[in-house]
Amino acid sequence: MKQSLHETHKLMQYISDAVGSIRDPQELFRTLTDKLRLVFEFDSAAIITFDKEKRYSNVFFEMLRFQLPETFERKKRPIAGSWIEPHIADVAVSVISIEKSLELYSADVLLPQMLYDLGMRQVALSPLRTGGKVIGFLSFVSKDEKEWLESDKELLATLSLPVAVAVSNALAYEELRQREAQTAMQLGVNNALLTIKDRNRMLLAVCEQIEKLVPCTFLGIRVMGADGFYRLYDNFRRDNAGVFAQVHAPLDIENFEDIARESFSLITHPGSFSGEVFCQLCGEYRMLAYVKEAFGVCSLLTVALWDTPGSRAGLFISNTSGSYDEHDQATVNLIVPQLSLALQNYLAFEKIDELRRKVEGERTCLIEEIKATHNFEEIIGNSASLAAVLRRVSQVAPTDATVLIQGETGTGKELFARALHNLSARNKRALIKINCATLPAPLIESELFGHEKGSFTGATERRIGKFELAEGGTIFLDEIGEMPLELQAKLLRVLQERELERLGGRQVIKVDVRVIAATNRDLAKEVAEGRFREDLFFRLNVFPLDIPPLIERREDIAMLATHFAAKCSREFGKPLRAFRAIDMQRLVAREWKGNIRELAHLIEQAVIVSEGTTLDFSTILSPSAPASELHTVGHARTMRDFEADVVAMERELILDALSRAKGRVSGVGGAAELLALHPKTLYSRIEKLGLSKRYS
């Protein structure tokens, strides 16, 4: 290896010319290595560089004459404890025996052991110095342990000077290129955050930008509320073509939600995890173990986005090949401020939009309730059977107990549900009604629990379900016996856990809602015949409320008929006409299969067709009724008896109206307005009944 001064100078000149003329770093170092091989004996060569803090080493260039194992990872490696650590401050060329390195540096034997197994026995390290600092080594690897003369070491050190300049330039260029790439990533992410309004498309664009600098197979974004439930749980996966797509389906894991919440704690300790450390984490976190097994993930990078009293958020990035280090984490951290701000703004706008939709939903429900034509506006009657039901209503209304109202069609089950709500502490919030019999089975779930945009064909936007609309109030599930079996299980979970998920959503939503259900079916019989879940029946039947049919409330019929006549006269702009005693008797004696609803409709017809001074039932009720219609249950009554009852009923209605109006007959809130009568007509009735001293 002896060289004359002239040859050394000539070689230096060649190396300097190459450094000045060859722009591509790989081509340059290949050219230099080929030239150095003419002077020094070695089998393979590599240029090793350090980071600025000299914490990690990296193979910057290699020219090998052997095949590295497929399992060998080309990555940054810690210097501390490694076989090159003792030489990091060397100013001269060091010649190292690989066999001795195996004995001395048992903590880091991966590379020496691999070289030894490949038949290599010696490594020569020539420090690359620039600006007074060692930035790396020019290393020669040989099969034989040769003796290096001092002159040979000095020559290699001299020839390493222009190589160090070239490496420094290449590193500076690489750093500049990296910064430009990072800036481009930041601008790309910023552009996506500012211009793309759809959250999924926005996050897909973020994935694509991150993947340009940090290897990424999976990316997950998590936002957890203070209650320990996810507000955001988005996953994105890169396919074989390099295209990212959102992953909607959860892993088929028992207790998935609990396991997912458990893995969130990784964000409280952000870092990069690969190799053995990643495997250890898989032992601690079941979710990681499942993902590793299912998708072949071998490394993980976690970044915290924010941690506030209201919520915490973080980013999970994982890869199926290669590993992560601090530099990758630092790169991802560059986009944390704008990504955090965008997500927080998105969640804030989403909450505002959700509240807006909820208010609109409540408004719609209230408008529908105001516009709806109810069978009656208040519970009318004083029969013993009705009094018993009202007593139970007053007992359960102040509580939050679930009530199951059962009764025949037309008995006024909805009215009792409204009474339960109005008498409860929830009466400041909405009473939300849904009829389980009027909606197609596929739509009931969406109506009850809501859906996310894109959760099914036609779901063009997010929809707030009735349970969410009823938050803090009451939900009335009418015709509960018509609910499909598959949906009954989901309803049971809401009743038990007081939480739900929208269709197509992953967020668990807590709900504070009182449930009142109603049915005209015998649910116990439905359970026995397998058409209704037994566990749901028991959950609903906490406090049963049986509404009596109208035939068990015959003493209330005259009062109800009079009320409906006044109501319909007011609505249709018709004069209030009196009942003939014979017609009222027939109404009381009639078999009301449609119950109160049938009575209301019959009175409505009479109000519409009547033209004389009394209501005309000639085309509505049979003119010659059977004898049974002229008797009440138990004993016969005379026409005079019945007329007396009608007068007494009228007297009671007027007295009740005067009492509520505090003695006033006319004007706003007066008794005439309450009874839908003209004030002069009411004055006449009052005089006729001898009630003139009861008002002012």
Side-chain angles (χ1 to χ4, degrees), residues 327-577:
H327 298 84
D328 296 319
Q329 191 168 25
T331 298
V332 177
N333 274 326
L334 293 173
I335 64 168
V336 164
Q338 60 261 50
L339 181 58
S340 298
L341 181 61
L343 282 176
Q344 286 175 322
N345 287 341
Y346 178 87
L347 291 170
F349 288 136
E350 186 181 59
K351 187 65 177 177
I352 292 170
D353 187 60
E354 184 176 311
L355 291 173
R356 177 183 63 79
R357 291 177 186 275
K358 185 174 287 189
V359 169
E360 287 178 353
E362 288 181 357
R363 177 176 174 272
T364 301
C365 290
L366 288 173
I367 289 174
E368 289 175 354
E369 187 168 327
I370 291 170
K371 289 182 177 179
T373 303
H374 302 298
N375 289 334
F376 43 90
E377 295 171 342
E378 56 184 278
I379 300 173
I380 305 255
N382 54 16
S383 61
S385 58
L386 178 63
V389 175
L390 291 178
R391 185 164 55 253
R392 285 181 63 79
V393 168
S394 65
Q395 290 171 339
V396 74
T399 74
D400 276 343
T402 301
V403 178
L404 178 61
I405 304 174
Q406 298 188 90
E408 296 178 8
T409 298
T411 51
K413 295 185 288 295
E414 181 180 345
L415 186 63
F416 284 92
R418 189 175 292 108
L420 288 166
H421 173 72
N422 291 337
L423 292 172
S424 74
R426 296 174 177 267
N427 58 12
K428 302 298 182 185
R429 302 292 296 175
L431 168 66
I432 304 297
K433 174 191 173 184
I434 184 167
N435 192 315
C436 302
T438 59
L439 288 171
L443 293 182
I444 297 179
E445 184 173 1
S446 175
E447 281 289 318
L448 285 175
F449 309 130
H451 64 251
E452 296 290 348
K453 179 180 177 182
S455 57
F456 55 84
T457 303
T460 56
E461 63 179 4
R462 167 181 286 178
R463 177 168 186 163
I464 304 298
K466 295 291 198 245
F467 266 95
E468 286 184 77
L469 286 178
E471 175 67 23
T474 307
I475 189 167
F476 175 44
L477 303 175
D478 200 7
E479 305 295 352
I480 189 70
E482 308 295 331
M483 180 173 286
L485 272 171
E486 61 271 17
L487 191 56
Q488 291 177 22
K490 295 185 178 182
L491 175 61
L492 180 64
R493 178 199 170 189
V494 176
L495 296 178
Q496 289 176 333
E497 308 296 334
R498 297 295 173 179
E499 62 186 36
L500 58 86
E501 292 179 16
R502 299 189 190 109
L503 272 173
R506 296 301 310 279
Q507 179 185 350
V508 176
I509 301 168
K510 289 284 188 180
V511 287
D512 174 23
V513 176
R514 184 187 191 175
V515 176
I516 300 174
T519 181
N520 60 2
R521 294 191 177 194
D522 183 347
L523 285 191
K525 183 179 179 182
E526 295 292 302
V527 168
E529 296 179 359
R531 290 191 293 268
F532 202 85
R533 291 179 64 105
E534 185 177 34
D535 47 5
L536 179 58
F537 171 64
F538 289 134
R539 179 64 65 172
L540 291 172
N541 200 36
V542 174
F543 193 93
L545 199 64
D546 293 316
I547 310 302
L550 190 55
I551 58 173
E552 295 180 12
R553 298 174 52 192
R554 292 190 184 277
E555 56 267 49
D556 295 335
I557 291 177
M559 186 180 292
L560 286 166
T562 304
H563 169 77
F564 290 140
K567 177 177 179 288
C568 293
S569 298
R570 182 175 63 251
E571 290 179 355
F572 301 148
K574 296 272 190 175
L576 183 64
R577 295 178 169 91

Side-chain angles (χ1 to χ4, degrees), residues 153-173:
K153 292 181 181 180
E154 290 173 4
L155 176 60
L156 179 56
T158 301
L159 295 176
S160 296
L161 293 175
V163 176
V165 173
V167 171
S168 179
N169 291 340
L171 288 174
Y173 175 78

Side-chain angles (χ1 to χ4, degrees), residues 615-650:
L615 289 172
D616 182 4
F617 288 91
S618 60
T619 60
I620 302 169
L621 292 175
S622 172
S624 57
S628 61
E629 285 194 5
L630 301 178
H631 294 78
T632 57
V633 178
H635 61 278
R637 305 182 66 209
T638 66
M639 185 65 70
R640 184 171 297 177
D641 292 335
F642 195 80
E643 288 175 349
D645 286 346
V646 172
V647 171
M649 189 71 68
E650 183 180 16

Side-chain angles (χ1 to χ4, degrees), residues 128-409:
L128 298 175
R129 301 179 65 84
T130 179
K133 296 180 180 179
V134 176
I135 61 172
F137 291 117
L138 171 62
S139 61
F140 295 151
V141 183
S142 304
K143 292 181 180 179
D144 301 319
E145 292 198 47
K146 307 181 192 69
E147 182 181 355
W148 281 69
L149 301 175
E150 288 301 318
S151 58
D152 296 332
K153 292 181 181 180
E154 290 173 4
L155 176 60
L156 179 56
T158 301
L159 295 176
S160 296
L161 293 175
V163 176
V165 173
V167 171
S168 179
N169 291 340
L171 288 174
Y173 175 78
E174 178 64 22
E175 183 178 359
L176 179 61
R177 188 197 64 77
Q178 183 75 7
R179 286 182 180 175
E180 289 177 348
Q182 290 174 347
T183 301
M185 178 192 71
Q186 288 178 287
L187 290 174
V189 168
N190 213 39
N191 183 59
L193 298 177
L194 290 174
T195 60
I196 303 176
K197 302 305 179 185
D198 181 77
R199 187 184 85 215
N200 291 337
R201 288 181 53 238
M202 175 188 78
L203 293 177
L204 282 171
V206 170
C207 290
E208 291 168 0
Q209 293 298 326
I210 290 176
E211 210 270 335
K212 290 177 181 178
L213 290 181
V214 178
C216 176
T217 304
F218 291 91
L219 184 142
I221 292 181
R222 309 283 188 268
V223 178
M224 182 177 281
D227 56 2
F229 288 90
Y230 281 112
R231 292 188 61 193
L232 205 66
Y233 191 97
D234 286 346
N235 291 302
F236 303 89
R237 183 183 181 188
R238 178 170 53 82
D239 60 21
N240 294 331
V243 178
F244 279 93
Q246 188 173 17
V247 181
H248 291 287
L251 292 172
D252 186 16
I253 304 172
E254 190 177 353
N255 300 324
F256 175 83
E257 297 296 338
D258 293 335
I259 295 174
R261 279 194 288 271
E262 169 193 283
S263 65
F264 187 86
S265 62
L266 275 169
I267 289 177
T268 60
H269 301 90
S272 52
F273 312 98
S274 303
E276 301 250 343
V277 177
F278 177 76
C279 291
Q280 289 175 4
L281 281 181
C282 289
E284 297 176 28
Y285 296 94
R286 289 175 288 175
M287 181 62 74
L288 275 185
Y290 283 119
V291 173
K292 178 177 181 290
E293 181 68 25
F295 303 111
V297 167
C298 63
S299 55
L300 176 71
L301 191 153
T302 60
V303 176
L305 293 177
W306 70 79
D307 188 352
T308 64
S311 67
R312 294 178 295 157
L315 196 64
F316 290 86
I317 298 176
S318 54
N319 197 16
T320 53
S321 62
S323 57
Y324 295 122
D325 56 29
E326 294 175 351
H327 298 84
D328 296 319
Q329 191 168 25
T331 298
V332 177
N333 274 326
L334 293 173
I335 64 168
V336 164
Q338 60 261 50
L339 181 58
S340 298
L341 181 61
L343 282 176
Q344 286 175 322
N345 287 341
Y346 178 87
L347 291 170
F349 288 136
E350 186 181 59
K351 187 65 177 177
I352 292 170
D353 187 60
E354 184 176 311
L355 291 173
R356 177 183 63 79
R357 291 177 186 275
K358 185 174 287 189
V359 169
E360 287 178 353
E362 288 181 357
R363 177 176 174 272
T364 301
C365 290
L366 288 173
I367 289 174
E368 289 175 354
E369 187 168 327
I370 291 170
K371 289 182 177 179
T373 303
H374 302 298
N375 289 334
F376 43 90
E377 295 171 342
E378 56 184 278
I379 300 173
I380 305 255
N382 54 16
S383 61
S385 58
L386 178 63
V389 175
L390 291 178
R391 185 164 55 253
R392 285 181 63 79
V393 168
S394 65
Q395 290 171 339
V396 74
T399 74
D400 276 343
T402 301
V403 178
L404 178 61
I405 304 174
Q406 298 188 90
E408 296 178 8
T409 298

